[in-house]
Amino acid sequence: MQTQTIDINTQIIKPEILHFSKIDSTNHYLLKNDLANGTVAMADFQTAGRGRLQRKWEASKSDGLLFSLLINENLDQYHPAAFSFLSAIAVYEGLRNVYYQLPLALKWPNDVICNGKKICGILVESRSSGSGLTKVVIGIGININQDQIFFNREGLTHGTSLKLETGQDGDRIFLLEAILESLEENLLFAKNEEISTILNKWKSYCPYIGKQIKLIENKKEHSGVFEDLDHEGGIILNQEGELNTYYAADVSIDKDSL
Ligand code: BTN
C-alpha cells in the first residue's frame, strides 16, 4: 500500500489516499480498521469485491476505478438513507463534469447508467450502536477501461465502461478527483437536510419514473409502473392500481417502455 496525495479541494475528504495494488475489498478494509473520518482507500484490484445483495463485484486489474470513503463523524446530522442516494448523485455529477456529453441516468437505488448500461455500482455499508450510525463506508466501482471481451466473459450483458462509451482511455485518478469533490459537495448538501430534498435531486436524474419496470426481490419478479420513492427511499410500484413498496431489489428497465 502507498499513500498518494491527490489534487482535491475538500474539507472532509482527505487528499492523502491509501492506494493498494491488491486488496480483498476496499469497503472491508475501511470497515475493519480504525481510521480517520474522510479516509479514502483505492485499489487496482480486489480479490473479494463486494456488490449489492451479497453479490461480487468483478473488475480486471487496473481497468476499474475502485474506491471507498469512510465517514465516521457527524453521522447524526444525516438521514440514514441519505448516503446511498447522495453517492449516486455525486457519481452522476462527477462524471458529467468530466464527460458532459455522456447520456447518464440513475437507476434505483444507486446504479449509474450510461446509454442504458451500468457503468457504476455503489455499495454503502454501515455500522451502528444503540444510538445510531457509527461508521458509514461508501464503496464505488466505476468501469473505466474494460473492453467488450471483459463484459462478455463475465456474463455482464448490461455493463459498459467509459472506454466503450467514449472511445478513449479514461484517467482513473483524474476521475477519482472529480468524483470525490462531487461527493464532498453532496455530503455538505445532504447535511441536516430532509431526506425528501435528496430524493428529489436523485429523481431529477432518473428517467425511469412513470415507466414500466421489472423488479426482482428474493428471486421473485414484480412488474409495474415506477410510481415514486417513499420517505425511506424505497421504490413504489404501481401494480394494476395497487401501490407496493420494495426495499431490497434489483430493477430492470423494459427498453420498449422508454
Ligand atoms: C453493486 O452494484 O452491486 C455495488 C458494487 C460496489 C463495488 C465497489 S468497488 C469498491 C468498493 N469495494 C467493494 O468491495 N465494493 C465497492
Side-chain angles (χ1 to χ4, degrees):
M1 187 268 285
Q2 57 163 4
T3 305
Q4 179 176 357
T5 304
I6 59 168
D7 186 15
I8 49 174
N9 186 8
T10 47
Q11 307 297 318
I12 309 167
I13 303 177
K14 303 215 172 331
E16 297 83 23
I17 65 160
L18 312 178
H19 190 161
F20 295 85
S21 52
K22 184 171 159 179
I23 195 171
D24 52 355
S25 150
T26 52
N27 267 34
H28 183 222
Y29 182 82
L30 294 184
L31 281 170
K32 78 173 181 207
N33 290 294
D34 201 11
L35 294 158
N37 187 43
T39 300
V40 173
M42 169 186 173
D44 296 334
F45 183 65
Q46 295 185 125
T47 53
R50 314 213 277 227
R52 279 186 66 241
L53 308 172
Q54 271 76 49
R55 281 192 295 244
K56 290 205 289 191
W57 180 260
E58 305 288 354
S60 42
K61 191 164 171 22
S62 303
D63 280 342
L65 172 57
L66 313 170
F67 69 99
S68 305
L69 166 69
L70 172 70
I71 309 287
N72 57 15
E73 285 179 11
N74 300 323
L75 289 168
D76 55 338
Q77 297 172 358
Y78 292 89
H79 188 290
F83 296 101
S84 168
F85 294 95
L86 78 83
S87 306
I89 293 168
V91 174
Y92 178 102
E93 292 180 346
L95 282 175
R96 191 191 54 186
N97 289 345
V98 178
Y99 298 97
Y100 49 88
Q101 58 314 37
L102 272 188
L104 297 171
L106 294 184
K107 181 163 84 71
W108 188 87
N110 53 19
D111 285 349
V112 184
I113 304 295
C114 182
N115 261 328
K117 292 184 166 181
K118 178 161 168 172
I119 202 156
C120 167
I122 299 174
L123 175 67
V124 177
E125 296 186 273
S126 59
R127 296 285 177 266
S128 49
S129 74
S131 53
L133 289 173
T134 52
K135 209 180 223 197
V136 169
V137 171
I138 298 171
I140 298 179
I142 305 181
N143 300 325
I144 307 280
N145 288 324
Q146 289 92 339
D147 49 28
Q148 195 54 52
I149 295 169
F150 166 81
F151 294 103
N152 296 347
R153 192 183 62 223
E154 300 292 338
L156 299 168
T157 46
H158 298 295
T160 191
S161 67
L162 273 173
K163 185 176 177 175
L164 286 173
E165 297 303 326
T166 64
Q168 283 166 2
D169 281 343
D171 179 335
R172 287 187 307 160
I173 296 295
F174 185 65
L175 261 176
L176 174 67
E177 290 166 348
I179 288 164
L180 287 176
E181 287 197 337
S182 169
L183 255 175
E184 170 129 341
E185 211 175 282
N186 280 286
L187 279 165
L188 294 173
F189 164 76
K191 206 172 188 170
N192 296 318
E193 198 50 81
E194 300 280 339
I195 188 69
S196 57
T197 311
I198 298 145
L199 296 178
N200 282 339
K201 190 173 182 191
W202 183 95
K203 285 195 269 184
S204 73
Y205 298 149
C206 175
Y208 310 120
I209 297 166
K211 309 284 186 198
Q212 186 72 31
I213 62 167
K214 269 192 204 123
L215 279 183
I216 303 196
E217 190 193 50
N218 293 329
K219 298 190 180 147
K220 269 183 76 182
E221 196 173 289
H222 307 272
S223 295
V225 173
F226 183 171
E227 189 78 20
D228 203 350
L229 299 179
D230 81 348
H231 57 282
E232 295 291 320
I235 184 165
I236 306 173
L237 272 197
N238 186 332
Q239 299 176 281
E240 290 166 8
E242 192 184 301
L243 297 184
N244 294 309
T245 308
Y246 300 88
Y247 294 95
D250 245 348
V251 171
S252 65
I253 314 292
D254 182 356
K255 277 239 161 73
D256 299 338
S257 80
L258 294 180

